[in-house]
Amino acid sequence: TRASIIETLLKRDYIHVKKLFSPTEKGLGVYQSVKDKKDCHVAMTAEWEKVLRRKIENNEVMQRFS
């Protein structure tokens, strides 16, 4: 759930809360290291979800994909 994700980010010191959520230095470092990676883009995640949904609807055998 969204709440558990936020709790994990707080516990691992990736974000902190003042009035709003803000990244910590550690969180910014992680962002900088992954921001240009194809696997981390929203569009790639959406494509994976589309493929998985189609496979489930068609009762297809799941194989590794990227």
Side-chain angles (χ1 to χ4, degrees):
T1 66
R2 192 174 298 173
S4 66
I5 292 169
I6 292 170
E7 286 178 28
T8 300
L9 292 172
L10 286 165
K11 190 182 323 179
R12 295 182 182 173
D13 195 37
Y14 293 124
I15 62 172
H16 56 83
V17 183
K18 292 185 180 179
K19 288 186 179 182
L20 302 171
F21 292 109
S22 300
T24 61
E25 288 297 318
K26 182 178 178 181
L28 287 172
V30 171
Y31 169 73
Q32 290 297 325
S33 67
V34 301
K35 69 178 184 172
D36 296 325
K37 299 201 181 300
K38 182 175 90 168
D39 294 349
C40 297
H41 285 268
V42 173
M44 177 59 72
T45 303
E47 183 62 30
W48 287 349
E49 290 292 330
K50 186 171 77 175
V51 169
L52 290 172
R53 193 174 316 109
R54 186 180 70 237
K55 288 185 175 291
I56 290 167
E57 288 170 357
N58 295 330
N59 204 22
E60 295 179 29
V61 174
M62 301 294 241
Q63 296 177 0
R64 188 169 186 241
F65 71 95
S66 57

